[in-house]
Amino acid sequence: MKTKPPRLADVAKAADVSTATASMALNDTGGTRIGAGTRERVRAAAADLGYRPNRVASGLRTRRTHTLGFVGDDVATTPFSGQMIRGAHDAAREAGFMLLIVDTSGEAAETGEAVAALQERQIEGILLATMYHQVVKAPKAIATTPCVLLNARTPDGSASSVVPDERGGTLGLLAELTGAGHTRIGHITTTEDVEARAIRLATWRERVEANGLHSDDLLVEIDQATTRPAHAAALRLLDRPDRPTAVFCFNDRVAMGVYRAAAQLGLRIPEALSVVSYDDQELIAPELQPALISAALPHYEMGRWSVLELLRRLDNPEAATVQHLMPCPVVKRESVAPPR
Amino acid sequence: MKTKPPRLADVAKAADVSTATASMALNDTGGTRIGAGTRERVRAAAADLGYRPNRVASGLRTRRTHTLGFVGDDVATTPFSGQMIRGAHDAAREAGFMLLIVDTSGEAAETGEAVAALQERQIEGILLATMYHQVVKAPKAIATTPCVLLNARTPDGSASSVVPDERGGTLGLLAELTGAGHTRIGHITTTEDVEARAIRLATWRERVEANGLHSDDLLVEIDQATTRPAHAAALRLLDRPDRPTAVFCFNDRVAMGVYRAAAQLGLRIPEALSVVSYDDQELIAPELQPALISAALPHYEMGRWSVLELLRRLDNPEAATVQHLMPCPVVKRESVAPPR
DNA sequence: GTGAAAGCGCTAACAG
DNA sequence: CTGTTAGCGCTTTCAC
């Protein structure tokens, strides 16, 4: 049979002090009231017994559980989201916190239930993460528990949030192309209604039209941002004499389709066609030949930031909310060359 | 200022009963002692006040936190592991449990610390997950807390565990090839020392030699199971007159390299070369052309199973440990045809 | 400098 | 059928 773990009372008895003294000695609380010798005796006794505090008990007393809730919509499913969790996890751990993770379908009712279940467990704050960058309405939970939105923001700034700087990333990618001398830059995007699409598209359009070009001639839309439809779209965009000299792809899977189409049309990348893309997926961008220039989604950093912001709000609940844009670094590889 | 949430005492007062009665009415404990009318009154009062029990307090009293610990080595980083977490999460939720997740580097000391930190929080059991299928020595934690190993097993069966059935998956893949009439089946594998390699290689070798072939002639090893080295290896394996008519790849990234080499050598897949692979990665296997037949790693199911087993052990700590092999289903696609 | 005692919110004996 | 009471293990006044 397993023997019960030691309690604070056992440590106190071993060190021949009261539980109050033992508690203060171990937690460095109570100012100078604990003598150095006493403190050492208690410490030694604790180490000796292999004492580990029961955080449920101390949590009940102090109302601090050192635990944060992470609720994500399908978040554990996507390769990206692992990075958000990991960023949040690492920052939490550095501050002595742990993460209670709940995955939902994203429906409001289910999210509400998840938040309530976390609150029952007395988590100190909540991270609300979404799989794709989006705008959501303010969660009801903010009334009762500090919240930070991850990969989402509210329309009104009523909660702190962090999202990728899609505009900045797009400008960085386009700078790679214009820096090499391209002006006729095509874009293949999706018709899905997501923030990422809207911002990347608008930023590209603005740039292309600044060059005096008609953006509609250079744009192809597909209903799913995956390889197969992208391949067909790329054939349409590239199989004509006035084709663009460079293509900005909505994401890396689209870029895969473009590579395939280019091979089929006898267009060498980057000599005959430059390609840039978004997402920097580990299994795609560095593996394509030539390796693909792509703007990375800073999921890890966003995860970290969200926890730091949440902890800041725990310390200072009245602090103003902040909406953060996390830079999307452009990873430079070999898919761009000057136009011919 | 936010107002304090209602406690059980508030519900009891509103329903004009004692806290004991309120507790029993809400938890359906105490057998028939609570009258139906009383129960309804209490329920109504609780709903009315928006009462949510404080699980920290009840956990202190009952020693049941309805929380499991999930410790993984770098687990949140890989695309697979998300599925393990999700499987575990879903099974846990169905049983009213939540997951406290800790990510470690995999070092024993760090894992030990993580386990201790979880124990301080009074988790009821621990899932120990590894990123790659491997053999590990029995964790010390099993002495004090129920444990189940996920994607790993102990040499001595001292803990319950679940790992993918690599042998079964490999046999399924090879059956696709032999069923189509192939006998000269090559294999490209890694030299990395992992369980997956050893089992897939041994199973393939056994089959090939059962056909009276010399397996060394059909084997190429690379030091990293990624696309680029695989491409070079495939050129070596395929650019000769007595080349195999089919290739079994260690994983999908290797298969990507084989596809590229085949294209370069003018070998159409599947007409001139059949290809099967392992892992069934979402971004690769279905996206290649032709779509790749691959054996899936059942991470989601393994995650589920591990929680079910852990819960079983909580109910019955003396139950015998079980070592489970989870089938790896072969996903049939278009990369195999009869040899010419 | 230290100990005694109260109490965090809840559940489970024990009475009635 | 229901109420009273005693803790779960810890922290924190308050008194010495």
Side-chain angles (χ1 to χ4, degrees):
Chain A
M1 284 315 322
K2 55 186 148 192
T3 164
K4 275 201 192 167
R7 298 166 308 137
L8 183 60
D10 300 321
V11 175
K13 197 181 301 171
D16 200 37
V17 294
S18 71
T19 60
T21 303
S23 170
M24 290 169 159
L26 292 175
N27 298 322
D28 275 326
T29 51
T32 59
R33 34 175 301 185
I34 307 295
T38 313
R39 164 153 28 263
E40 275 324 303
R41 244 182 26 257
V42 174
R43 290 260 159 93
D48 192 39
L49 295 172
Y51 171 72
R52 285 282 178 165
N54 180 330
R55 302 255 175 237
V56 171
S58 70
L60 177 59
R61 184 68 235 242
T62 60
R63 295 147 164 284
R64 302 219 51 188
T65 52
H66 291 278
T67 305
L68 303 177
F70 185 110
V71 357
D73 67 327
D74 253 351
V75 83
T77 316
T78 102
F80 302 132
S81 51
Q83 293 299 338
M84 291 201 282
I85 294 182
R86 199 167 148 78
H89 167 276
D90 289 356
R93 172 137 73 163
E94 284 161 22
F97 279 73
M98 275 196 183
L99 253 35
L100 216 33
I101 294 186
V102 188
D103 200 57
T104 74
S105 64
E107 283 166 51
E110 207 186 334
T111 303
E113 246 329 295
V115 167
L118 288 166
Q119 287 172 327
E120 289 183 358
R121 285 173 163 85
Q122 313 298 116
I123 44 87
E124 298 188 35
I126 294 189
L127 267 11
L128 283 166
T130 52
M131 177 154 74
Y132 298 115
H133 176 180
Q134 59 194 250
V135 176
V136 299
K137 61 174 185 292
K140 303 193 65 175
I142 57 174
T144 49
T145 307
C147 274
V148 172
L149 300 178
L150 229 177
N151 214 17
R153 58 189 177 80
T154 58
D156 56 358
S158 53
S160 282
S161 60
V162 55
V163 296
D165 181 7
E166 312 263 5
R167 180 176 161 78
T170 301
L171 289 175
L173 289 169
L174 295 177
E176 287 294 316
L177 296 174
T178 53
H182 293 273
T183 50
R184 292 190 57 74
I185 300 169
H187 185 35
I188 300 181
T189 190
T190 168
T191 54
E192 294 161 288
D193 181 26
V194 292
E195 277 292 285
R197 166 195 191 267
I199 302 175
R200 295 173 197 176
L201 174 60
T203 308
W204 165 81
R205 197 186 287 277
E206 170 194 312
R207 279 311 186 176
V208 163
E209 297 189 342
N211 284 335
L213 295 171
H214 206 61
S215 63
D216 289 344
D217 301 341
L218 295 165
L219 177 67
V220 188
E221 293 182 285
I222 54 187
D223 38 330
Q224 256 191 57
T226 53
T227 306
R228 224 155 283 213
H231 173 238
L235 287 177
R236 251 182 297 145
L237 184 66
L238 298 175
D239 195 12
R240 59 187 209 210
D242 63 335
R243 66 166 180 268
T245 60
V247 181
F248 163 43
C249 302
F250 173 71
N251 69 13
D252 293 349
R253 302 174 77 168
V254 168
M256 251 178 108
V258 170
Y259 270 56
R260 196 168 291 155
Q264 201 171 326
L265 295 172
L267 295 171
R268 281 184 63 87
I269 300 173
E271 294 81 0
L273 180 72
S274 291
V275 182
V276 298
S277 166
Y278 225 104
D279 287 5
D280 190 40
Q281 282 199 273
E282 181 194 9
L283 290 173
I284 303 181
E287 299 285 358
L288 286 171
Q289 284 194 311
L292 175 66
I293 295 183
S294 193
L297 289 168
H299 284 114
Y300 181 85
E301 288 304 330
M302 285 165 45
R304 284 196 82 90
W305 187 93
S306 67
V307 165
L308 267 20
E309 169 65 9
L310 189 51
L311 295 176
R312 190 181 70 90
R313 299 190 70 73
L314 293 186
D315 281 347
N316 183 2
E318 308 306 332
T321 64
V322 359
Q323 284 70 46
H324 191 67
L325 282 180
M326 188 65 74
C328 296
V330 171
V331 182
K332 311 215 171 167
R333 299 201 182 87
E334 295 92 42
S335 58
V336 171
R340 281 195 297 208
Chain B
M1 284 315 321
K2 55 184 149 196
T3 163
K4 274 200 191 170
R7 297 165 309 135
L8 183 60
D10 299 321
V11 175
K13 196 181 301 170
D16 200 36
V17 294
S18 72
T19 61
T21 302
S23 171
M24 289 168 160
L26 292 175
N27 298 321
D28 273 327
T29 50
T32 59
R33 35 175 299 185
I34 306 295
T38 312
R39 183 185 332 290
E40 276 323 305
R41 246 189 16 265
V42 174
R43 291 262 159 90
D48 192 41
L49 294 173
Y51 171 72
R52 285 281 177 167
N54 179 331
R55 302 253 175 239
V56 171
S58 72
L60 177 59
R61 182 70 235 241
T62 60
R63 296 145 164 288
R64 303 219 51 189
T65 52
H66 291 277
T67 305
L68 302 177
F70 184 112
V71 357
D73 67 327
D74 253 352
V75 84
T77 317
T78 102
F80 302 133
S81 51
Q83 293 298 338
M84 292 201 282
I85 294 181
R86 198 166 149 79
H89 167 276
D90 288 357
R93 171 137 73 162
E94 285 160 21
F97 278 73
M98 276 197 184
L99 253 34
L100 216 32
I101 294 186
V102 188
D103 200 58
T104 74
S105 64
E107 282 167 51
E110 208 187 334
T111 304
E113 245 329 294
V115 167
L118 288 166
Q119 287 172 327
E120 288 183 359
R121 285 171 163 87
Q122 311 301 113
I123 44 85
E124 298 188 35
I126 294 188
L127 267 13
L128 283 165
T130 53
M131 178 154 74
Y132 298 116
H133 176 179
Q134 59 193 248
V135 176
V136 300
K137 60 173 184 293
K140 302 193 66 176
I142 57 174
T144 48
T145 307
C147 275
V148 171
L149 300 179
L150 228 176
N151 215 17
R153 58 188 178 80
T154 59
D156 56 358
S158 53
S160 282
S161 60
V162 55
V163 296
D165 181 7
E166 312 263 5
R167 182 177 158 77
T170 302
L171 290 175
L173 289 170
L174 295 177
E176 288 294 316
L177 295 174
T178 54
H182 293 273
T183 50
R184 294 189 57 73
I185 300 170
H187 184 36
I188 300 179
T189 189
T190 168
T191 55
E192 293 160 287
D193 182 25
V194 291
E195 277 293 286
R197 167 194 190 266
I199 302 176
R200 295 173 197 176
L201 174 59
T203 308
W204 165 81
R205 198 186 285 277
E206 171 194 310
R207 279 309 186 178
V208 163
E209 298 189 341
N211 285 336
L213 296 170
H214 205 61
S215 64
D216 288 345
D217 301 341
L218 295 165
L219 178 67
V220 187
E221 295 181 286
I222 52 187
D223 39 330
Q224 256 192 58
T226 52
T227 305
R228 224 157 283 213
H231 174 239
L235 287 177
R236 253 182 295 145
L237 183 66
L238 298 174
D239 195 11
R240 58 188 210 208
D242 63 336
R243 66 168 180 268
T245 59
V247 180
F248 163 43
C249 302
F250 173 73
N251 70 13
D252 294 347
R253 302 174 76 166
V254 169
M256 252 178 106
V258 170
Y259 269 56
R260 196 168 290 156
Q264 202 171 325
L265 296 171
L267 295 171
R268 281 184 63 89
I269 298 172
E271 294 82 358
L273 180 72
S274 291
V275 182
V276 299
S277 166
Y278 223 105
D279 288 5
D280 190 41
Q281 281 197 275
E282 181 195 8
L283 290 173
I284 303 181
E287 299 284 358
L288 286 171
Q289 284 193 310
L292 175 66
I293 295 184
S294 193
L297 289 169
H299 285 115
Y300 181 85
E301 288 303 330
M302 286 166 44
R304 284 197 81 90
W305 187 93
S306 67
V307 166
L308 266 22
E309 168 65 10
L310 190 50
L311 295 176
R312 191 182 69 90
R313 299 191 71 72
L314 293 186
D315 281 348
N316 182 2
E318 307 307 332
T321 64
V322 358
Q323 283 70 47
H324 191 68
L325 282 181
M326 189 65 73
C328 296
V330 171
V331 182
K332 310 214 170 168
R333 299 200 183 87
E334 294 93 42
S335 59
V336 171
R340 282 195 295 207

